Amino acid sequence: MSETSSEALENDASGPGVVPLTDPPYAPFPNGVPTEALLVTEATRAAWPARYYASYDQTARQPTPVTGWWDVWDMSDVSNVPPAADMVALTEAQWSARLPFGAGVQGGQVMAYVPPPAPLSVQVQAQNEMSWIHQQASLAAAMGQSFTQAMRDYVTTVSAIAAGTDTTTVALPARPDDIIA
């Protein structure tokens, strides 16, 4: 086995299509960075002074979910990036700790966010209310008592909503104060 020198390695690495990395020193832009690339970088940094951002719906009630994560300085095309003023600037630590979901914005700060549950339809609310009504009926029967007229009217209204025969009511009526007679 022969000794290998750096000169021998350079000679072995020469040939068609091989660019030596030592002489002259390797540079991705042999004549320097093109002016256009510098201008884009300067313009990007001027428009987005922070590197990392979180976007969100500014018209939504807060807290509101994060709708996008932006590493602006690493983008080759920033034409679709919202203005910096419409986003929340992030530190490198916040960027590194971000998750694809579970983040929201409130008062200009990124925070943990769990979306509120979707509102239940009045029919589903009525179906759920029927469980409470059945409990009350069982208690009344166990005690040898019956519902008041106000409770009977309430049961009739809630039953119609739960069954879908009443489609015009938009909210459940209030529970009566007197339930058992």
Side-chain angles (χ1 to χ4, degrees):
M1 233 173 159
S2 64
E3 286 186 35
T4 307
S5 68
S6 61
E7 187 176 308
L9 285 175
E10 269 185 38
N11 290 336
D12 287 345
S14 63
V18 176
V19 176
L21 299 178
T22 56
D23 190 24
Y26 176 74
F29 299 104
N31 298 324
V33 178
T35 305
E36 299 81 24
L38 288 175
L39 293 175
V40 170
T41 301
E42 289 172 11
T44 299
R45 288 182 187 215
W48 295 278
R51 177 176 179 170
Y52 307 111
Y53 289 90
S55 59
Y56 64 100
D57 181 357
Q58 291 186 309
T59 63
R61 197 178 100 222
Q62 292 189 13
T64 186
V66 168
T67 57
W69 302 102
W70 305 87
D71 180 352
V72 183
W73 293 359
D74 195 36
M75 298 177 71
S76 60
D77 179 11
V78 293
S79 61
N80 292 321
V81 178
D86 294 347
M87 298 189 289
V88 175
L90 305 173
T91 65
E92 189 168 339
Q94 289 172 309
W95 177 259
S96 297
R98 78 191 187 287
L99 296 173
F101 55 88
V105 174
Q106 182 166 12
Q109 299 294 318
V110 175
M111 53 172 269
Y113 175 74
V114 176
L120 298 176
S121 70
V122 70
Q123 184 176 14
V124 171
Q125 292 175 36
Q127 291 166 349
N128 292 340
E129 185 68 0
M130 289 303 295
S131 295
W132 178 80
I133 291 171
H134 290 171
Q135 288 174 339
Q136 300 310 308
S138 295
L139 289 172
M143 296 169 55
Q145 297 176 327
S146 62
F147 283 158
T148 62
Q149 186 57 48
M151 184 62 176
R152 288 182 185 143
D153 294 341
Y154 181 74
V155 170
T156 302
T157 302
V158 173
S159 294
I161 296 168
T165 56
D166 177 354
T167 58
T168 59
T169 303
V170 294
L172 289 182
R175 288 179 179 171
D177 292 329
D178 292 327
I179 298 171
I180 300 175

